[in-house]
Amino acid sequence: MPAKHPTAEDVRTFVRAGPTRLWENVAGIPGPGGSPDAERAAHLAAACATAHIPMVHVSTDFVFDGQKRAPYVETDPPNPVSVYGRSKLAGEHAVARECAAHVILRPAWLYGVDGANFVRTILKAARSRYGTGEALRVVSDQRGSPTCAEDVCR
């Protein structure tokens, strides 16, 4: 049996129950019926607005289509090309609509001290080839701005 998703009332009750001064929303897995990211984000944003609690919504660079030849900035128009990107963008819109005191973050290519990530993979590959004369091959059809997880948390 699938897990029950929290209702708007469930979220309001949860937000009111805690001494929290700031809420973060990091969920974003779209389901078969549409965009639960938007629905859940709207519930949390509305509850935060009612409780006068600021909200941080963690989105993604997947809200862009990747066609720009320069780094994306906050004012660039989104154009998601995947279900995930569309779900995250819908979540951004829901947060902006429901909670005036919000911030939306769009980290990309996260890396940190633990876990697998692009930076660690490249460093490991470079170390394994050092002194062997073997070339380090890296994809050339992707661009990104690696983001330190610690910076996102600050």
Side-chain angles (χ1 to χ4, degrees):
M1 181 157 96
K4 175 187 174 271
H5 296 295
T7 65
E9 185 55 37
D10 293 337
V11 174
R12 281 192 296 274
T13 300
F14 186 73
V15 168
R16 283 192 305 258
T20 305
R21 294 189 185 132
L22 175 75
W23 272 97
E24 294 177 85
N25 179 42
V26 296
I29 307 300
S35 180
D37 196 60
E39 182 181 338
R40 293 176 200 146
H43 292 336
L44 183 54
C48 286
T50 300
H52 306 287
I53 298 172
M55 181 177 169
V56 175
H57 179 72
V58 181
S59 188
T60 177
D61 62 328
F62 279 71
V63 299
F64 300 114
D65 60 17
Q67 298 302 309
K68 187 175 177 186
R69 297 285 182 210
Y72 283 99
V73 297
E74 294 85 356
T75 55
D76 285 331
N79 186 32
V81 296
S82 68
V83 172
Y84 175 72
R86 288 188 294 274
S87 177
K88 293 303 283 184
L89 182 59
E92 289 184 15
H93 290 165
V95 168
R97 181 182 66 246
E98 298 292 337
C99 184
H102 73 275
V103 172
I104 295 171
L105 304 177
R106 292 176 175 155
W109 295 26
L110 284 170
Y111 68 92
V113 295
D114 295 316
N117 59 66
F118 181 76
V119 174
R120 181 170 282 123
T121 300
I122 292 298
L123 289 173
K124 181 179 176 183
R127 283 189 202 107
S128 73
R129 287 165 179 75
Y130 181 74
T132 68
E134 185 182 348
L136 177 62
R137 299 188 187 280
V138 181
V139 298
S140 61
D141 64 339
Q142 298 179 24
R143 287 180 204 73
S145 299
T147 306
C148 178
E150 188 175 311
D151 290 343
V152 173
C153 294
R154 289 184 184 165

